Amino acid sequence: KILITGALGQIGTELTNRLVEIHGAENVVASGLDRWQKNLTSAAYYERMDVSNTQLVRQVIKDYEITTVYHLASLLSGTSEKQPLFAWKLNIEPLLNFCEMAREGLISKIFWPSSIAVFGKGIPKENVGQDVVLNPTTVYGISKMAGEKWCEYYFDKHGVDVRSIRYPGLISWKTPAGGGTTDYAVEIFYEAIEEKKYKSYITENTAMPMLYMDDAIEATLQLMAAPKEKLTVHTSYNLGGMTFTPKELAAEIKKEIPEFEISYEADFRQKIAESWPASIDDSIAKKDWDLNYTFDISEMTKDMLKNLRIKLKK
Ligand code: VAH
């Protein structure tokens, strides 16, 4: 069976749904902590599980005969800055625990999300490559860089099949994100429908790599389905998606909601955004496992507004 941690999160909710579609609900065990309610997931099994509780995690793995783990539970960049020690513990120790279980042969495959937050100072802003120096300046970025190195260590030393993607900012409508820097690009859609205006905490010309959730989920499934011997990256694959600024996104929304107005008031997350690249070179993922995208900024905008209007009953 497959275990998903963070199964009620922004990625977890949608990944669970797709894994249920592909493998059947019977083969999917969802687990989560806060915001836990059984009816919020499509998996056949639910475990209220704190991923930091090693004994409980090992018990769940044994009870359900789990072979593959999608370990998504984590604190995002904004939240991590506010609780560095807790963020470090939560973002690293459970990953190490799953790598140890794979080394012992208890599980055979792991997916773990990294982020473009691993990039920092001293590299070009545009088209950042797979192997540039990682110089993160945030708690979140430091934890993701360390996590990537642990993935590579367990692959090199013990042949552990742990696979990872450096996600850009992810945009979706099913489940709100929690505490990310790129989440202005999610909030803006809710407010465009509810208020016809949005005050962005990221300034108008700050470009960041972004991706629609449907494309992020398909990329994740493609990486996990790829033959092991085709994979040349054992830290985490660059994934660039599309690049846009708040101003460009607002212009797309205005095509659908002409009276929409955006204003700007930077907060602490502006500095985090400025430390990240504006665009990413993901040619290695395209070569190793045929990464491709479906949604561009205008298709994403239309899909977000269409689905959010239904969800918000507007
Ligand atoms: C965040 N959405 O903002 C996450 C992501 C690249 C950004 O890691 O923290």
Side-chain angles (χ1 to χ4, degrees):
K1 287 190 178 27
I2 295 166
L3 170 67
I4 300 143
T5 72
L8 285 183
Q10 188 192 15
I11 302 173
T13 312
E14 305 209 37
L15 193 55
T16 301
N17 294 343
R18 285 290 289 128
L19 289 168
V20 164
E21 279 171 14
I22 296 166
H23 300 281
E26 272 304 304
N27 293 309
V28 181
V29 179
S31 70
L33 182 62
D34 51 354
R35 299 181 297 166
W36 179 252
Q37 282 145 23
K38 288 192 181 308
N39 62 358
L40 272 181
T41 174
S42 52
Y45 303 97
Y46 327 90
E47 283 298 329
R48 180 175 168 73
M49 182 176 86
D50 174 349
V51 286
S52 304
N53 180 336
T54 310
Q55 268 57 47
L56 175 58
V57 173
R58 283 175 174 267
Q59 196 54 55
V60 167
I61 297 281
K62 285 198 188 90
D63 292 351
Y64 288 97
E65 296 173 350
I66 299 294
T67 52
T68 300
V69 175
Y70 288 79
H71 172 42
L72 306 176
S74 152
L75 291 188
L76 293 180
S77 58
T79 314
S80 299
E81 285 305 300
K82 294 174 187 160
Q83 317 172 58
L85 295 180
F86 176 55
W88 170 256
K89 185 171 163 47
L90 179 69
N91 286 0
I92 283 295
E93 289 179 8
L95 169 64
L96 261 184
N97 186 32
F98 285 121
C99 287
E100 270 299 295
M101 283 192 263
R103 184 182 63 77
E104 295 163 28
L106 285 179
I107 54 179
S108 55
K109 206 173 190 181
I110 305 166
F111 175 78
W112 174 73
S114 182
S115 161
I116 58 151
V118 295
F119 299 118
K121 296 195 171 73
I123 55 169
K125 211 64 183 144
E126 299 293 343
N127 210 28
V128 165
Q130 179 69 49
D131 292 324
V132 301
V133 65
L134 302 183
N135 212 349
T137 55
T138 62
V139 171
Y140 177 72
I142 292 166
S143 75
K144 290 300 185 183
M145 174 179 70
E148 291 190 7
K149 293 297 175 190
W150 280 118
C151 293
E152 189 176 54
Y153 175 89
Y154 271 89
F155 173 79
D156 288 342
K157 290 277 183 308
H158 306 297
V160 166
D161 188 4
V162 49
R163 305 182 186 193
S164 179
I165 286 175
R166 288 169 180 165
Y167 288 122
L170 298 182
I171 295 161
S172 63
W173 55 272
K174 290 195 185 81
T175 308
T181 296
T182 58
D183 297 331
Y184 86 86
V186 176
E187 295 168 4
I188 191 170
F189 287 102
Y190 283 82
E191 311 239 340
I193 292 170
E194 305 263 357
E195 317 287 338
K196 305 272 185 286
K197 64 182 176 16
Y198 178 64
K199 180 154 67 174
S200 170
Y201 55 77
I202 299 293
T203 58
E204 61 186 308
N205 297 319
T206 307
M208 286 193 269
M210 297 279 192
L211 187 62
Y212 200 38
M213 183 61 77
D214 297 46
D215 282 341
I217 299 295
E218 290 318 307
T220 307
L221 296 171
Q222 250 169 279
L223 169 59
M224 288 298 273
K228 195 172 165 178
E229 52 284 350
K230 282 194 69 179
L231 306 182
T232 62
V233 171
H234 296 286
T235 46
S236 185
Y237 276 92
N238 275 12
L239 196 141
M242 53 186 143
T243 290
F244 55 73
T245 63
K247 188 175 176 185
E248 289 163 337
L249 184 55
E252 280 306 316
I253 292 173
K254 272 176 97 72
K255 288 178 189 168
E256 308 292 318
I257 307 176
E259 65 273 37
F260 174 70
E261 288 302 325
I262 188 167
S263 58
Y264 303 94
E265 190 176 314
D267 74 5
F268 75 102
R269 290 167 289 189
Q270 177 62 25
K271 280 252 162 304
I272 296 176
E274 285 167 0
S275 75
W276 292 346
S279 64
I280 304 285
D281 169 5
D282 50 24
S283 49
I284 295 189
K286 286 172 178 154
K287 182 174 64 64
D288 285 7
W289 42 276
D290 307 324
L291 166 68
N292 57 58
Y293 301 117
T294 307
F295 288 84
D296 65 13
I297 189 169
S298 62
E299 284 144 350
M300 172 187 75
T301 299
K302 290 192 188 84
D303 201 65
M304 278 293 282
L305 292 174
K306 175 167 71 72
N307 286 295
L308 272 181
R309 281 199 175 100
I310 298 164
K311 178 177 170 179
L312 300 172
K313 299 187 180 59
K314 288 281 173 178

